[in-house]
Amino acid sequence: MAKQGNITLKELSKRLNVSVSTVSRALNNHPDISPATIKKVQDLAKQLNYIPNLFAKGFRAKKTNTLGVVVPNICHVYTSTILKGILTQAESLGYRVIISESKNNEEKQIEMLKTMIQFGVDGVLMSLARKTKSMDGILGILNRIPLVLFDKVSDKIPCSQIVIDDEEASYNAIMHLIGLGKKRIAILKETENSYNSEKRFSGYKRALAASNITLDDTLIFNAEAVSLESGKRITKQIAAMETKPDAIFAITDNAAIGAIQTLKEHNIKIPDEIAVVGFSNSTKATIISPSLTTVNQPGSKIGATAVNYLLHEILNPKENMVTKTIEVKTNLVVRESTFKG
């Protein structure tokens, strides 16, 4: 059976012997169109399974009620919680969402942004690819449509940015460990100077300084991606150290979980010998044993907040936009990896 193809306004107008504009207004319940004509047009549209072309409609109205989202990795657990917040908030306000993935590739990121413009989105929400170096392409997009950054952001891009206070969250996590008597605290962070990693490292250093603990370079471990695998690999190095740390702070839950698994393999008691703290409060944090103490990042709230700021910019195009950093509060969730109740 041959496919029918999409029914157009022109096809509806031809069958009903009325103008295309009459059909369009009837479908939108325009008051200038009689109830009888509205019923006739809408009945035929339903019968033929008419689906409006949003992009053509948006081109005419210069508005599609569609938001674009670009993220580094759709499968990342924390990213999925942010996306859920974006989708829920956008849909509640009458907006559709198109989601794409940059795969942490800078060229792909720009390609996705250009695709969003081709789709006619009203604005874009974006979390930057990890190795973003040039901001030129992004700044070019910012001159064309509203853009709001979230999670992975940059102070080189003048737009609204929705983040957590990474430095304060990290500071509180380290102070928790120090409060438990831990003094040799290792950190697992990113090699690249990523915004989030450096902020968390700053919080780590500030907590040590506030507690008169000397920064020890032998306790600073770097990885290109702070993943489960790098957490395991680095913790194997830690387990082989003659003078081991008494705590590990990983800037991701995945790396912290990798650390816990490796410490258990080496029969190192957690938290007695080495305590472990992660970052994000993923679902895995409660599945691992011992359960993981971690910074809770409210992903859904970040997503919803990002939508609200983007829509404000979309609906107020003449307002002079200034760079704003909006911080969403976090809290430390204490579990067995640092405390045995």
Side-chain angles (χ1 to χ4, degrees), residues 197-217:
S197 180
E198 289 307 302
K199 287 287 185 182
R200 292 171 197 181
F201 186 40
S202 293
Y204 166 84
K205 291 186 288 186
R206 182 159 67 89
L208 295 182
S211 305
N212 295 315
I213 297 174
T214 303
L215 184 68
D216 185 344
D217 289 342

Side-chain angles (χ1 to χ4, degrees), residues 29-69:
N29 295 301
H30 197 284
D32 287 351
I33 307 300
S34 70
T37 301
I38 288 175
K39 185 176 187 311
K40 186 166 63 173
V41 170
Q42 293 187 357
D43 284 350
L44 181 62
K46 186 176 181 181
Q47 178 190 329
L48 297 178
N49 195 27
Y50 167 73
I51 300 171
N53 185 322
L54 290 177
F55 299 116
K57 186 176 180 181
F59 181 77
R60 291 190 297 271
K62 294 185 179 179
K63 194 170 187 296
T64 60
N65 274 44
T66 305
L67 307 180
V69 180

Side-chain angles (χ1 to χ4, degrees), residues 2-253:
K3 294 188 183 296
Q4 180 179 345
N6 193 30
I7 298 296
T8 63
L9 288 176
K10 190 173 181 180
E11 178 67 20
L12 292 175
S13 71
K14 185 178 178 182
R15 294 197 184 205
L16 293 167
N17 198 27
V18 295
S19 70
V20 171
S21 63
T22 297
V23 171
S24 177
R25 287 184 290 173
L27 289 171
N28 289 289
N29 295 301
H30 197 284
D32 287 351
I33 307 300
S34 70
T37 301
I38 288 175
K39 185 176 187 311
K40 186 166 63 173
V41 170
Q42 293 187 357
D43 284 350
L44 181 62
K46 186 176 181 181
Q47 178 190 329
L48 297 178
N49 195 27
Y50 167 73
I51 300 171
N53 185 322
L54 290 177
F55 299 116
K57 186 176 180 181
F59 181 77
R60 291 190 297 271
K62 294 185 179 179
K63 194 170 187 296
T64 60
N65 274 44
T66 305
L67 307 180
V69 180
V70 181
V71 294
N73 184 353
I74 288 173
C75 296
H76 192 283
V77 176
Y78 176 54
T79 300
S80 69
T81 65
I82 296 178
L83 291 176
K84 184 175 181 181
I86 289 172
L87 288 166
T88 301
Q89 184 69 356
E91 289 171 5
S92 73
L93 296 171
Y95 282 76
R96 301 172 185 82
V97 178
I98 299 173
I99 299 170
S100 65
E101 183 180 48
S102 69
K103 302 184 187 299
N104 266 316
N105 180 289
E106 189 172 3
E107 290 181 6
K108 182 84 170 173
Q109 180 171 261
I110 296 301
E111 180 189 327
M112 291 299 97
L113 284 172
K114 289 178 179 177
T115 299
M116 292 299 175
I117 289 181
Q118 289 171 339
F119 280 159
V121 299
D122 297 333
V124 174
L125 297 165
M126 184 169 73
S127 179
L128 294 174
R130 187 170 60 243
K131 293 183 179 180
T132 301
K133 291 182 174 65
S134 173
M135 302 298 168
D136 293 345
I138 298 169
L139 294 173
I141 299 296
L142 184 59
N143 287 330
R144 298 182 64 174
I145 58 172
L147 172 72
V148 169
L149 296 181
F150 64 89
D151 189 31
K152 303 288 189 297
V153 303
S154 171
D155 53 13
K156 296 175 183 175
I157 303 173
C159 66
S160 296
Q161 312 198 13
I162 317 300
V163 296
I164 62 165
D165 189 338
D166 282 284
E167 183 177 332
E168 186 68 17
S170 179
Y171 173 85
N172 290 335
I174 302 304
M175 291 303 290
H176 165 69
L177 289 169
I178 292 169
L180 296 172
K182 306 295 184 179
K183 293 181 180 178
R184 285 183 51 79
I185 303 168
I187 182 170
L188 278 57
K189 70 180 192 69
E190 286 186 7
T191 306
E192 299 287 333
N193 292 326
S194 81
Y195 179 92
N196 304 70
S197 180
E198 289 307 302
K199 287 287 185 182
R200 292 171 197 181
F201 186 40
S202 293
Y204 166 84
K205 291 186 288 186
R206 182 159 67 89
L208 295 182
S211 305
N212 295 315
I213 297 174
T214 303
L215 184 68
D216 185 344
D217 289 342
T218 66
L219 298 178
I220 300 168
F221 296 89
N222 299 287
E224 184 175 338
V226 189
S227 61
L228 182 75
E229 292 72 24
S230 62
K232 287 181 177 180
R233 175 176 52 78
I234 291 169
T235 306
K236 281 182 183 177
Q237 297 173 34
I238 289 172
M241 292 173 71
E242 188 173 336
T243 306
K244 297 178 182 60
D246 53 19
I248 295 172
F249 171 57
I251 67 161
T252 69
D253 274 1

Side-chain angles (χ1 to χ4, degrees), residues 320-334:
N320 288 326
M321 297 302 166
V322 295
T323 303
K324 294 189 290 282
T325 299
I326 299 90
E327 292 178 345
V328 177
K329 294 290 183 185
T330 64
N331 63 289
L332 186 69
V333 181
V334 178

